[in-house]
Amino acid sequence: MADEYALVSRGKLKLKTDSEIKKKKSKKHNKKEKEKLERGAQEELESIKTTAEEHHSQTRHLTKAEVSYKKMQEKMQEKRIMEKASLTHKQRVEKFNEHLDSLTEHFDIPKVSWTK
């Protein structure tokens, strides 16, 4: 029977309080380490820029059709933006309500009532 309780602690239970909980202290970093990290980050940015420039120089040039297609896409996008920006929110809500009024009763949401 003594073997079963060999691992049990025999003292009174201790409650944790704020004074007993120790806070971890933050480590102070050296300025030299920060400078090394900054230099490494700058070197990485420079290497990324150089690889991007090399990749850009290797890519093919766009044909006339591709250039005109991109220009048309940009024009159409600007047109859509201008149409959306021309109406205020209130005007859009009114237009939507008019559209809903023009629909037949078939599209109305049926009223759900548990009492009737």
Side-chain angles (χ1 to χ4, degrees):
M1 182 145 179
D3 293 334
E4 293 178 18
Y5 298 106
L7 300 175
V8 176
S9 60
R10 294 191 177 173
K12 62 180 181 177
L13 295 176
K14 296 181 182 178
L15 299 175
K16 292 183 181 179
T17 59
D18 291 337
S19 60
E20 292 178 3
I21 298 173
K22 295 183 181 178
K23 296 179 182 177
K24 292 183 181 179
K25 294 183 180 179
S26 61
K27 296 180 181 180
K28 295 182 180 178
H29 296 286
N30 291 339
K31 290 181 181 179
K32 293 179 183 178
E33 291 178 9
K34 287 184 181 179
E35 291 174 1
K36 287 180 184 178
L37 291 173
E38 289 175 1
R39 281 190 221 131
Q42 289 176 354
E43 290 174 0
E44 288 179 29
L45 288 173
E46 291 173 2
S47 65
I48 291 171
K49 287 180 183 177
T50 55
T51 55
E53 290 172 359
E54 291 173 1
H55 179 68
H56 182 67
S57 64
Q58 293 175 354
T59 58
R60 64 180 180 84
H61 296 286
L62 299 176
T63 62
K64 290 180 182 179
E66 291 171 332
V67 171
S68 63
Y69 174 77
K70 286 194 174 193
K71 285 182 183 178
M72 284 303 296
Q73 289 293 322
E74 290 174 4
K75 285 181 184 177
M76 291 176 70
Q77 188 173 6
E78 287 177 13
K79 183 180 175 184
R80 277 189 228 117
I81 291 171
M82 292 305 292
E83 286 176 1
K84 289 229 179 191
S86 66
L87 295 176
T88 64
H89 177 73
K90 187 175 182 179
Q91 291 170 338
R92 277 187 259 135
V93 169
E94 289 174 357
K95 185 177 178 182
F96 181 68
N97 285 334
E98 289 173 7
H99 171 69
L100 290 178
D101 290 338
S102 68
L103 295 176
T104 61
E105 292 180 11
H106 174 74
F107 295 105
D108 282 348
I109 300 171
K111 187 174 182 181
V112 178
S113 176
W114 295 103
T115 58
K116 293 184 179 180

PDB file of all heavy atoms in Angstrom, residues 54-65:
ATOM      1  N   GLU A  54      16.788  41.489 -63.854  1.00  0.00           N
ATOM      2  CA  GLU A  54      17.252  40.474 -64.800  1.00  0.00           C
ATOM      3  C   GLU A  54      16.070  39.745 -65.415  1.00  0.00           C
ATOM      4  O   GLU A  54      16.034  39.484 -66.620  1.00  0.00           O
ATOM      5  CB  GLU A  54      18.177  39.479 -64.085  1.00  0.00           C
ATOM      6  CG  GLU A  54      19.499  40.065 -63.659  1.00  0.00           C
ATOM      7  CD  GLU A  54      20.303  39.098 -62.804  1.00  0.00           C
ATOM      8  OE1 GLU A  54      19.821  37.973 -62.568  1.00  0.00           O
ATOM      9  OE2 GLU A  54      21.400  39.473 -62.392  1.00  0.00           O
ATOM     10  N   HIS A  55      15.093  39.412 -64.596  1.00  0.00           N
ATOM     11  CA  HIS A  55      13.913  38.718 -65.092  1.00  0.00           C
ATOM     12  C   HIS A  55      13.141  39.600 -66.060  1.00  0.00           C
ATOM     13  O   HIS A  55      12.646  39.137 -67.078  1.00  0.00           O
ATOM     14  CB  HIS A  55      13.007  38.301 -63.923  1.00  0.00           C
ATOM     15  CG  HIS A  55      11.766  37.596 -64.340  1.00  0.00           C
ATOM     16  ND1 HIS A  55      11.779  36.344 -64.894  1.00  0.00           N
ATOM     17  CD2 HIS A  55      10.458  37.983 -64.329  1.00  0.00           C
ATOM     18  CE1 HIS A  55      10.549  35.979 -65.181  1.00  0.00           C
ATOM     19  NE2 HIS A  55       9.721  36.962 -64.841  1.00  0.00           N
ATOM     20  N   HIS A  56      13.050  40.897 -65.730  1.00  0.00           N
ATOM     21  CA  HIS A  56      12.342  41.836 -66.593  1.00  0.00           C
ATOM     22  C   HIS A  56      13.038  41.961 -67.944  1.00  0.00           C
ATOM     23  O   HIS A  56      12.387  42.063 -68.978  1.00  0.00           O
ATOM     24  CB  HIS A  56      12.224  43.199 -65.918  1.00  0.00           C
ATOM     25  CG  HIS A  56      11.459  44.197 -66.727  1.00  0.00           C
ATOM     26  ND1 HIS A  56      10.109  44.063 -66.988  1.00  0.00           N
ATOM     27  CD2 HIS A  56      11.850  45.335 -67.364  1.00  0.00           C
ATOM     28  CE1 HIS A  56       9.710  45.075 -67.736  1.00  0.00           C
ATOM     29  NE2 HIS A  56      10.746  45.858 -67.971  1.00  0.00           N
ATOM     30  N   SER A  57      14.349  41.963 -67.944  1.00  0.00           N
ATOM     31  CA  SER A  57      15.084  42.093 -69.200  1.00  0.00           C
ATOM     32  C   SER A  57      14.946  40.835 -70.054  1.00  0.00           C
ATOM     33  O   SER A  57      15.059  40.886 -71.269  1.00  0.00           O
ATOM     34  CB  SER A  57      16.556  42.398 -68.926  1.00  0.00           C
ATOM     35  OG  SER A  57      17.153  41.305 -68.253  1.00  0.00           O
ATOM     36  N   GLN A  58      14.698  39.691 -69.399  1.00  0.00           N
ATOM     37  CA  GLN A  58      14.565  38.440 -70.132  1.00  0.00           C
ATOM     38  C   GLN A  58      13.166  38.229 -70.688  1.00  0.00           C
ATOM     39  O   GLN A  58      12.974  37.429 -71.593  1.00  0.00           O
ATOM     40  CB  GLN A  58      14.928  37.256 -69.224  1.00  0.00           C
ATOM     41  CG  GLN A  58      16.397  37.227 -68.843  1.00  0.00           C
ATOM     42  CD  GLN A  58      16.695  36.121 -67.845  1.00  0.00           C
ATOM     43  OE1 GLN A  58      15.797  35.464 -67.369  1.00  0.00           O
ATOM     44  NE2 GLN A  58      17.966  35.945 -67.544  1.00  0.00           N
ATOM     45  N   THR A  59      12.154  38.932 -70.147  1.00  0.00           N
ATOM     46  CA  THR A  59      10.787  38.725 -70.612  1.00  0.00           C
ATOM     47  C   THR A  59      10.611  39.300 -72.004  1.00  0.00           C
ATOM     48  O   THR A  59      11.305  40.234 -72.408  1.00  0.00           O
ATOM     49  CB  THR A  59       9.769  39.386 -69.661  1.00  0.00           C
ATOM     50  OG1 THR A  59      10.063  40.786 -69.570  1.00  0.00           O
ATOM     51  CG2 THR A  59       9.814  38.756 -68.290  1.00  0.00           C
ATOM     52  N   ARG A  60       9.645  38.743 -72.730  1.00  0.00           N
ATOM     53  CA  ARG A  60       9.411  39.193 -74.103  1.00  0.00           C
ATOM     54  C   ARG A  60       8.637  40.503 -74.110  1.00  0.00           C
ATOM     55  O   ARG A  60       7.950  40.837 -73.158  1.00  0.00           O
ATOM     56  CB  ARG A  60       8.656  38.131 -74.886  1.00  0.00           C
ATOM     57  CG  ARG A  60       7.272  37.864 -74.368  1.00  0.00           C
ATOM     58  CD  ARG A  60       6.588  36.790 -75.196  1.00  0.00           C
ATOM     59  NE  ARG A  60       5.269  36.539 -74.690  1.00  0.00           N
ATOM     60  CZ  ARG A  60       4.191  37.242 -75.004  1.00  0.00           C
ATOM     61  NH1 ARG A  60       4.291  38.264 -75.826  1.00  0.00           N
ATOM     62  NH2 ARG A  60       3.009  36.949 -74.491  1.00  0.00           N
ATOM     63  N   HIS A  61       8.743  41.221 -75.183  1.00  0.00           N
ATOM     64  CA  HIS A  61       8.021  42.480 -75.328  1.00  0.00           C
ATOM     65  C   HIS A  61       6.621  42.193 -75.852  1.00  0.00           C
ATOM     66  O   HIS A  61       6.388  41.233 -76.574  1.00  0.00           O
ATOM     67  CB  HIS A  61       8.779  43.413 -76.278  1.00  0.00           C
ATOM     68  CG  HIS A  61      10.117  43.816 -75.739  1.00  0.00           C
ATOM     69  ND1 HIS A  61      10.261  44.722 -74.726  1.00  0.00           N
ATOM     70  CD2 HIS A  61      11.370  43.404 -76.056  1.00  0.00           C
ATOM     71  CE1 HIS A  61      11.540  44.870 -74.447  1.00  0.00           C
ATOM     72  NE2 HIS A  61      12.242  44.081 -75.231  1.00  0.00           N
ATOM     73  N   LEU A  62       5.681  43.045 -75.503  1.00  0.00           N
ATOM     74  CA  LEU A  62       4.298  42.853 -75.909  1.00  0.00           C
ATOM     75  C   LEU A  62       4.107  43.219 -77.374  1.00  0.00           C
ATOM     76  O   LEU A  62       4.734  44.157 -77.887  1.00  0.00           O
ATOM     77  CB  LEU A  62       3.373  43.717 -75.043  1.00  0.00           C
ATOM     78  CG  LEU A  62       3.380  43.434 -73.551  1.00  0.00           C
ATOM     79  CD1 LEU A  62       2.494  44.437 -72.825  1.00  0.00           C
ATOM     80  CD2 LEU A  62       2.916  42.026 -73.259  1.00  0.00           C
ATOM     81  N   THR A  63       3.219  42.501 -78.036  1.00  0.00           N
ATOM     82  CA  THR A  63       2.908  42.814 -79.427  1.00  0.00           C
ATOM     83  C   THR A  63       1.933  43.989 -79.470  1.00  0.00           C
ATOM     84  O   THR A  63       1.388  44.401 -78.441  1.00  0.00           O
ATOM     85  CB  THR A  63       2.267  41.599 -80.123  1.00  0.00           C
ATOM     86  OG1 THR A  63       1.041  41.294 -79.460  1.00  0.00           O
ATOM     87  CG2 THR A  63       3.187  40.388 -80.090  1.00  0.00           C
ATOM     88  N   LYS A  64       1.680  44.507 -80.658  1.00  0.00           N
ATOM     89  CA  LYS A  64       0.758  45.635 -80.811  1.00  0.00           C
ATOM     90  C   LYS A  64      -0.635  45.261 -80.342  1.00  0.00           C
ATOM     91  O   LYS A  64      -1.321  46.061 -79.705  1.00  0.00           O
ATOM     92  CB  LYS A  64       0.711  46.085 -82.269  1.00  0.00           C
ATOM     93  CG  LYS A  64       1.978  46.757 -82.741  1.00  0.00           C
ATOM     94  CD  LYS A  64       1.840  47.169 -84.187  1.00  0.00           C
ATOM     95  CE  LYS A  64       3.125  47.796 -84.696  1.00  0.00           C
ATOM     96  NZ  LYS A  64       3.008  48.182 -86.118  1.00  0.00           N
ATOM     97  N   ALA A  65      -1.057  44.046 -80.658  1.00  0.00           N
ATOM     98  CA  ALA A  65      -2.394  43.595 -80.266  1.00  0.00           C
ATOM     99  C   ALA A  65      -2.508  43.512 -78.748  1.00  0.00           C
ATOM    100  O   ALA A  65      -3.527  43.900 -78.172  1.00  0.00           O
ATOM    101  CB  ALA A  65      -2.695  42.238 -80.892  1.00  0.00           C
TER     102      ALA A  65
END
